[in-house]
Amino acid sequence: MNSHVNGSKDKVPPRRPFRPKPRQATLVLPKTGQRVKRTVTLRNSPCFATSDVNGTADERASLLGLRTARQQSSSAPKLLWRASKWLFNSVWAFATSKTGKGVLKCSIAYFLGSLATFVPAIAAMIGQQDGKHMVATITVYFHPARSQGSMFEAIILATLAFVYAAFIGFTSMGVSIFFGRVLDFITLGHAIVLIVFCGGGLGLVGWIKQRLGHPLVNISCSLTSLAIITVVTKEGAVQAGKFSDDKITQVLKMIVMGVIATTAVSFSIYPVSARVDLRENLISFTDSLSEVLAMITQSFLTGSEEELQRPQYRDAMDKYKELLASMEKHLKEAKYEHYMAGTERQYQLEAKLVDCMQRLAQNIGGLRSAATTQFLILSQPRLGSSSGIRRGTEVETARIEHPLILTAIDEVSENGENESGLEPEVGRETSILTPEDAFSEFILHLGPSIKSLAFTLREILDDLPFGPGPEYEVTVNVKYTSSLGDAVALYSQAREDAISKIYDAEDVNKQRSVDVEADFEEIAASCGVFSYALQDFANETKSYLDILDDLKLEMEERPKGRTWHWLKFWRRDQHSEPRTDFAFADQEADAAINVPGPPPCAITAEKHCRPTGLRYRTWKALAIFRRDDIKFAIKVGAGAALYALPSFVHSTRPTYQHFRGEWGLLSYMLVCSMTIGASNTTGYARFLGTCIGAVCAIVAWTISGGNPFALAALGWFMSFWTAYIIVAQGKGPMGRFIMLTYNLSALYAYSLSVKDLDDDDDEGGISPIITEIAFHRVAAVLSGCLWGLIITRLIWPISARQKLKDGLSALWLRLGLVWKRAPLDDRLRGKAANSYMDPAEEAHLHRYLGQLEKLRDSASSEINLRAPFPTTSYSRLLSTTSGMLDALHALNVLILKEPRVSSGEASILQSTSGERAQLRLRISHLFQVMASSIKLEYPLNDALPSIENTRDRLLAKIFGFRKEGKAAAITSDKDFMLLYTYALVTGQLKKAMQDIRNELETLFGSLDEEWLKLE
């Protein structure tokens, strides 16, 4: 914004606003409810700890550390002892950590699963076959390093996977028997099985895997694929046209054994409870929330962004976001634990608690946005003159005597004397000539109250909501609710008095230019939004305390009560309390989203131009097959059917069996992904993991010589370091691929050596050739990976790069449509609050943005000869788009919170309708231009419309409305809140659009003669 003051046109650098000494304000102590007078500081947090300004402390510490190191390095034995001690401490710290315990549990579960291969008594329970290593594989896939709730979910998904695989297997056998024995046309039966059950069944598995995108679902889909491929293509019952339930029964036994082993380890050795994790997460989150609130408030009051640029703030925000993301995961897993324990009511209260935490996080976002707007305004250089500087020697003296830091806490009783001896500043005459002056006056009057309320909130958040573990009983001070209510009441009155004093000042009502009036009103908007966001934060904290009281009452009154209402399906409507908060809408299935349709004129035009012939109706009816997910399912099924075809041809079946084609088909199912980039990434990890596992299997078999005890010990060691890859490093696919190939080679070789099959002369028989076994596995995996890459590229190829660009274009067009709906005008017309953007649509937009972020990661793996993928630029584009969604969310929250418009608010909206209409159309137009640019990869021109002047006119109109005499009679400060938020959101959109324009110029260049050649 370009703001001016009358006078000289010489440009002067921006000056920091004057900060008068904070006055003492009434403070409510939350633990006692006592009211005291304090000059409050928020700097008592470790997050504000800084080193010496000149860095002398750090330098002194470095010198002392260097001297100490030289003194201690006098002898090699001491160095060796210290290194050994450090190594022991590091290993012990890892072994006793949560991650180390999880790795140990995974290795124990694998050892138990491998006993199904090595112990004859257990192996006999499965039957005579060479696939007993599947038990150990299941313990790797459904590893025990998870919470009890996650284990319950894994058991459910494993059961569903087996049921689906059994259905496909039995129906395939039935079709083969019918066509072979009844119709004597088994070839047709094989074709139907191959197309419908093999291709269609595996295509549906691929669609579910892509659609849900959940880690446990992906693992269950892999297990389902393995069972289907084994029964349909390997065992031979389907090919022979006979019924056999032996293999399906064996698969069921192996699944049960693997699940029992991993569940027993998970529940008996260092058990992890998601309910405990959730409460620990809530404790850490409230502490982090307290720190972030203190730092943002401190930064706003000082008018400097330095506080928010420190490493302490960035670390606090990173921890805050990490805890916020993990809260959802712990809550979902805790749901299974509560439902199994019959404590559904506690889960419902904990769900409300998490909802409340997310709303507090949204209020933190509002505080941060208001502070950011203030920083932008105060940092802009202005055209200054002598009239733009404060007058009076008292002010200049105060500026020198009172630096821009908060003073220590001075406490007096409510009716006592000021112990510090400082008199409050009264009768001070101040001229409000610039927006900085207005902001300084705002801080002078409301700053103490802001700090007082922030101090009360911080004291409450710092107090742990739960007691010590492992019980984590709710411990809430009964005084907190009443104390916070008193603090909010005091703060509300102080805010109203501060704003009225500022706008009653004589200098404010003077006639100024539009730019200066816009600056004044933008300062008022940022201060107003910050003050209201802080009050909303306090009100939400009251709700947080109420939910804690309810949870405490539920746990104390019914500590051993069990309901299990979820089992009473016939009474579900009476007991279920579904969560409807918009913060959790993204957990629901991708159902139809009710969004406002196109305007009536567009519908009328479409009716006139729409074709009505048979071809169009057919094209319309087949619209589902044009969806990317349906195309993906079809091509996955087609590729699977083609790969499995040799197993149904009599002449090629021996080759398919000899080279273990079933594992190649499984690799194909694992490699196939929606985009080319994702397939490249998965294929690389799959092949590399297979090669590593094969080499390890050869080494282990060579060392052990086929001895079961040695193989069991080496297998435990293998599982330990691969579990570290899966659990500690988070590279699940890589670790699973390594162990899968190891099991297919080493454990399979042992099964051959003990003659687990009648016709086990394959690959060496009772003297297995481990190199040949490993080679067959690697060849099968390589062929499956290559086949997956071929299918992904040749049949309806989907480029992650192009899909990302198209997705960003569609998202920006959608945001332009949302902004064009005129949400504030809808309030005047009496429309529903969700006519602007309902919670389901907002959740869909955020979910779609998450999909674009995954596409960005996949796009970096795609090979393009023109240039490498600009990951950094697209990351910034996605981050900026996320900020725009957050800005729209802030406006949406306020609209949904106050669905009815007051008479004063209606008067303000009517007065500014023209300016808002122009601003809305320009923003929507810019969204369309940016969407077209990234869609066509075409540079933007320099003649794009600016929203800055239009926004200035809107702010000046609000300022003029306040100066009218009748405005004070019909409006209150609360009536301006929605329009203030609207103004701040448009300011954030303006900055975000400028950032996007800069990134598009970096990507596509600028429009010049080279782009305009006519050839």
Side-chain angles (χ1 to χ4, degrees):
M1 180 177 298
N2 298 322
S3 297
H4 305 75
V5 292
N6 297 331
S8 173
K9 295 185 179 181
D10 297 332
K11 205 169 188 179
V12 296
R15 61 185 182 88
R16 297 181 67 177
F18 162 67
R19 289 290 184 275
K21 181 179 177 62
R23 297 176 302 142
Q24 290 184 342
T26 302
L27 171 67
V28 178
L29 299 178
K31 293 185 178 180
T32 62
Q34 180 185 4
R35 297 188 180 187
V36 297
K37 292 265 187 191
R38 280 188 179 182
T39 301
V40 183
T41 179
L42 300 175
R43 284 187 177 271
N44 58 346
S45 170
C47 59
F48 289 106
T50 55
S51 61
D52 187 79
V53 175
N54 296 324
T56 55
D58 293 338
E59 294 175 2
R60 187 181 302 111
S62 301
L63 292 174
L64 289 175
L66 180 62
R67 184 176 61 184
T68 304
R70 288 176 177 175
Q71 291 176 353
Q72 293 178 348
S73 60
S74 55
S75 60
K78 290 184 178 180
L79 284 177
L80 182 60
W81 167 252
R82 284 196 299 271
S84 303
K85 186 177 180 181
W86 173 84
L87 180 61
F88 175 80
N89 292 335
S90 300
V91 172
W92 180 254
F94 174 77
T96 55
S97 66
K98 187 175 181 179
T99 302
K101 293 176 181 178
V103 171
L104 177 63
K105 291 167 64 174
C106 291
S107 63
I108 294 176
Y110 176 83
F111 177 78
L112 295 178
S114 66
L115 296 181
T117 303
F118 298 125
V119 178
I122 301 177
M125 297 173 60
I126 301 176
Q128 196 172 26
Q129 57 119 357
D130 57 1
K132 298 183 179 68
H133 53 78
M134 186 176 175
V135 180
T137 302
I138 291 174
T139 62
V140 175
Y141 273 67
F142 295 99
H143 64 77
R146 61 179 81 246
S147 67
Q148 297 174 3
S150 182
M151 281 304 306
F152 290 137
E153 185 181 9
I155 294 172
I156 294 173
L157 292 175
T159 304
L160 294 176
F162 170 77
V163 170
Y164 179 75
F167 170 77
I168 295 294
F170 283 133
T171 51
S172 300
M173 293 179 191
V175 170
S176 181
I177 292 172
F178 175 76
F179 280 90
R181 297 184 179 180
V182 178
L183 301 180
D184 196 19
F185 197 2
I186 195 171
T187 304
L188 180 59
H190 286 171
I192 294 176
V193 170
L194 188 64
I195 296 173
V196 177
F197 297 102
C198 185
L202 293 178
L204 180 59
V205 171
W207 181 84
I208 293 174
K209 177 181 177 181
Q210 179 273 332
R211 187 70 171 176
L212 298 181
H214 190 277
L216 276 178
V217 173
N218 295 344
I219 293 173
S220 301
C221 289
S222 301
L223 180 62
T224 304
S225 301
L226 175 60
I228 292 175
I229 292 169
T230 302
V231 173
V232 176
T233 69
K234 178 186 177 183
E235 295 308 309
V238 176
Q239 286 77 0
K242 63 180 182 180
F243 182 83
S244 174
D245 61 349
D246 293 341
K247 189 61 183 179
I248 295 179
T249 304
Q250 290 173 349
V251 170
L252 174 61
K253 291 179 180 179
M254 289 187 289
I255 291 177
V256 171
M257 286 184 177
V259 170
I260 289 177
T262 189
T263 304
V265 172
S266 178
F267 286 4
S268 60
I269 302 177
Y270 301 122
V272 178
S273 172
R275 292 171 290 178
V276 174
D277 287 344
L278 177 61
R279 299 195 176 188
E280 291 177 349
N281 188 288
L282 288 171
I283 291 173
S284 301
F285 184 74
T286 51
D287 291 341
S288 179
L289 203 64
S290 170
E291 291 185 5
V292 173
L293 173 66
M295 285 186 277
I296 292 178
T297 304
Q298 179 72 21
S299 181
F300 178 81
L301 294 175
T302 57
S304 173
E305 203 173 5
E306 294 176 0
E307 298 282 359
L308 306 185
Q309 293 176 344
R310 295 181 178 180
Q312 293 88 346
Y313 174 77
R314 290 194 294 270
D315 294 342
M317 282 301 298
D318 292 341
K319 180 182 177 182
Y320 162 83
K321 294 177 181 178
E322 179 183 355
L323 292 171
L324 187 62
S326 62
M327 200 180 299
E328 279 288 339
K329 172 179 174 292
H330 294 320
L331 178 64
K332 183 179 179 181
E333 295 174 0
K335 177 180 179 180
Y336 290 94
E337 296 183 12
H338 280 299
Y339 275 45
M340 293 299 295
T343 55
E344 301 100 315
R345 177 61 181 166
Q346 289 187 25
Y347 162 73
Q348 292 164 2
L349 292 173
E350 288 179 353
K352 291 181 179 179
L353 201 61
V354 173
D355 284 345
C356 187
M357 291 292 101
Q358 292 199 335
R359 290 193 294 271
L360 286 172
Q362 293 161 6
N363 289 325
I364 284 290
L367 293 171
R368 181 69 173 88
S369 298
T372 302
T373 302
Q374 178 210 179
F375 302 147
L376 291 175
I377 299 170
L378 298 180
S379 64
Q380 290 174 355
R382 307 182 185 278
L383 300 179
S385 67
S386 59
S387 63
I389 305 175
R390 288 179 173 268
R391 292 169 294 182
T393 56
E394 177 190 1
V395 174
E396 297 300 328
T397 305
R399 182 181 301 175
I400 299 174
E401 293 179 353
H402 305 309
L404 298 179
I405 57 174
L406 295 178
T407 58
I409 298 179
D410 298 323
E411 181 175 343
V412 296
S413 63
E414 179 73 4
N415 299 321
E417 298 296 331
N418 185 356
E419 295 178 1
S420 63
L422 297 175
E423 297 294 332
E425 298 181 70
V426 295
R428 185 178 62 86
E429 296 183 359
T430 304
S431 297
I432 304 178
L433 301 176
T434 66
E436 290 90 341
D437 297 337
F439 181 71
S440 295
E441 287 300 309
F442 182 90
I443 296 301
L444 174 66
H445 293 289
L446 190 56
S449 299
I450 289 178
K451 285 190 292 183
S452 298
L453 181 59
F455 180 83
T456 302
L457 290 170
R458 186 176 177 192
E459 288 291 309
I460 293 175
L461 293 174
D462 282 342
D463 193 10
L464 297 182
F466 300 103
E471 294 82 8
Y472 290 106
E473 297 179 353
V474 180
T475 56
V476 181
N477 194 318
V478 295
K479 286 283 188 180
Y480 281 170
T481 302
S482 58
S483 299
L484 187 56
D486 293 342
V488 171
L490 289 172
Y491 174 77
S492 300
Q493 185 61 43
R495 187 191 65 244
E496 293 178 3
D497 294 342
I499 293 178
S500 62
K501 287 180 181 178
I502 292 175
Y503 279 95
D504 288 343
E506 180 179 354
D507 290 327
V508 173
N509 296 318
K510 290 182 179 180
Q511 189 67 28
R512 291 180 173 86
S513 66
V514 173
D515 292 335
V516 175
E517 289 183 351
D519 279 345
F520 270 108
E521 203 57 36
E522 191 164 20
I523 286 289
S526 65
C527 295
V529 170
F530 188 92
S531 61
Y532 268 104
L534 185 60
Q535 184 172 347
D536 286 343
F537 188 93
N539 292 331
E540 203 61 52
T541 305
K542 290 170 63 177
S543 301
Y544 160 72
L545 295 175
D546 293 339
I547 298 172
L548 283 177
D549 288 336
D550 293 341
L551 182 59
K552 182 179 181 181
L553 187 64
E554 174 69 20
M555 296 177 66
E556 290 178 351
E557 286 190 351
R558 293 192 294 178
K560 297 182 180 180
R562 299 290 186 265
T563 56
W564 291 286
H565 286 315
W566 60 278
L567 291 175
K568 304 174 184 177
F569 58 89
W570 61 92
R571 302 175 58 187
R572 183 168 299 173
D573 294 338
Q574 302 178 18
H575 298 288
S576 62
E577 296 184 15
R579 302 174 63 200
T580 57
D581 191 88
F582 59 87
F584 284 83
D586 58 343
Q587 286 187 348
E588 306 299 329
D590 286 329
I593 298 176
N594 298 321
V595 297
C601 59
I603 297 176
T604 304
E606 185 180 1
K607 287 182 178 179
H608 283 296
C609 64
R610 176 184 297 174
T612 57
L614 178 62
R615 292 177 57 186
Y616 174 78
R617 290 198 298 269
T618 305
W619 178 84
K620 191 73 174 177
L622 298 177
I624 187 174
F625 295 102
R626 293 191 293 273
R627 287 169 40 182
D628 285 340
D629 57 337
I630 302 300
K631 290 180 179 180
F632 173 73
I634 292 174
K635 71 180 183 181
V636 167
L642 290 174
Y643 195 96
L645 178 61
S647 68
F648 287 87
V649 179
H650 181 73
S651 60
T652 58
R653 180 169 175 78
T655 304
Y656 180 88
Q657 291 179 315
H658 180 72
F659 283 95
R660 302 302 171 184
E662 67 272 13
W663 296 111
L665 185 53
L666 178 62
S667 299
Y668 161 80
M669 289 297 299
L670 296 177
V671 166
C672 276
S673 300
M674 177 70 80
T675 62
I676 298 174
S679 297
N680 292 342
T681 302
T682 309
Y684 172 77
R686 170 71 171 156
F687 183 70
L688 179 61
T690 300
C691 293
I692 295 175
V695 172
C696 292
I698 294 174
V699 173
W701 184 263
T702 304
I703 293 175
S704 65
N707 183 278
F709 297 99
L711 276 178
L714 292 172
W716 176 85
F717 176 75
M718 280 285 301
S719 66
F720 191 88
W721 71 270
T722 53
Y724 179 82
I725 296 176
I726 296 172
V727 178
Q729 296 183 347
K731 300 178 181 178
M734 175 66 73
R736 290 194 293 267
F737 293 157
I738 294 173
M739 287 308 300
L740 178 61
T741 307
Y742 177 84
N743 295 337
L744 288 173
S745 301
L747 300 189
Y748 171 81
Y750 179 79
S751 297
L752 290 182
S753 67
V754 296
K755 203 175 178 60
D756 249 341
L757 276 179
D758 294 335
D759 54 345
D760 58 359
D761 56 347
D762 185 29
E763 297 173 326
I766 60 175
S767 300
I769 306 174
I770 188 64
T771 54
E772 185 176 350
I773 294 174
F775 170 73
H776 289 168
R777 301 305 179 272
V778 173
V781 169
L782 179 59
S783 66
C785 293
L786 292 177
W787 183 244
L789 295 178
I790 291 172
I791 292 296
T792 303
R793 286 182 176 272
L794 294 185
I795 302 179
W796 290 315
I798 301 175
S799 171
R801 296 189 179 199
Q802 189 60 44
K803 195 172 178 62
L804 175 59
K805 296 173 184 177
D806 295 344
L808 269 175
S809 176
L811 183 57
W812 290 343
L813 287 174
R814 187 63 174 269
L815 292 180
L817 175 63
V818 169
W819 192 257
K820 202 174 181 179
R821 291 173 187 164
L824 303 190
D825 292 336
D826 288 345
R827 291 170 64 84
L828 288 176
R829 304 187 190 106
K831 292 186 178 181
N834 60 359
S835 62
Y836 161 55
M837 185 169 59
D838 64 3
E841 182 184 8
E842 184 180 355
H844 176 69
L845 293 176
H846 282 280
R847 191 162 55 244
Y848 190 75
L849 182 63
Q851 295 174 2
L852 294 182
E853 291 176 348
K854 294 179 181 179
L855 288 174
R856 174 202 58 196
D857 298 335
S858 300
S860 59
S861 300
E862 292 185 357
I863 301 174
N864 193 309
L865 297 179
R866 183 175 63 176
F869 180 73
T871 305
T872 304
S873 295
Y874 277 95
S875 298
R876 286 195 288 261
L877 287 176
L878 291 173
S879 177
T880 305
T881 304
S882 177
M884 291 193 293
L885 282 177
D886 293 339
L888 293 177
H889 168 76
L891 182 61
N892 195 34
V893 167
L894 196 59
I895 292 175
L896 294 175
K897 185 181 296 184
E898 299 289 343
R900 299 196 177 191
V901 60
S902 64
S903 58
E905 185 180 351
S907 177
I908 301 171
L909 294 178
Q910 290 174 354
S911 176
T912 59
S913 59
E915 288 76 11
R916 286 187 290 104
Q918 296 180 16
L919 185 59
R920 182 179 69 250
L921 293 176
R922 289 203 173 194
I923 291 177
S924 180
H925 174 66
L926 286 175
F927 271 123
Q928 295 179 5
V929 171
M930 295 187 307
S932 302
S933 174
I934 197 169
K935 173 76 173 180
L936 303 174
E937 299 186 12
Y938 204 78
L940 297 171
N941 58 35
D942 298 332
L944 290 179
S946 173
I947 66 174
E948 185 172 357
N949 294 331
T950 309
R951 184 168 175 270
D952 284 354
R953 288 194 295 271
L954 172 63
L955 292 169
K957 191 65 175 288
I958 302 173
F959 184 84
F961 183 85
R962 274 191 178 274
K963 293 195 300 183
E964 296 179 4
K966 62 178 182 180
I970 62 176
T971 61
S972 63
D973 184 59
K974 187 177 181 180
D975 295 331
F976 288 87
M977 185 58 197
L978 181 59
L979 205 54
Y980 279 164
T981 304
Y982 183 88
L984 290 189
V985 168
T986 56
Q988 294 171 23
L989 290 179
K990 180 194 72 171
K991 183 179 183 301
M993 287 180 171
Q994 184 58 49
D995 294 340
I996 290 177
R997 290 177 61 178
N998 295 336
E999 288 298 333
L1000 293 179
E1001 185 176 350
T1002 302
L1003 290 172
F1004 310 130
S1006 57
L1007 193 63
D1008 53 21
E1009 295 295 335
E1010 292 294 328
W1011 284 92
L1012 301 178
K1013 285 184 178 180
L1014 302 178
E1015 298 179 350

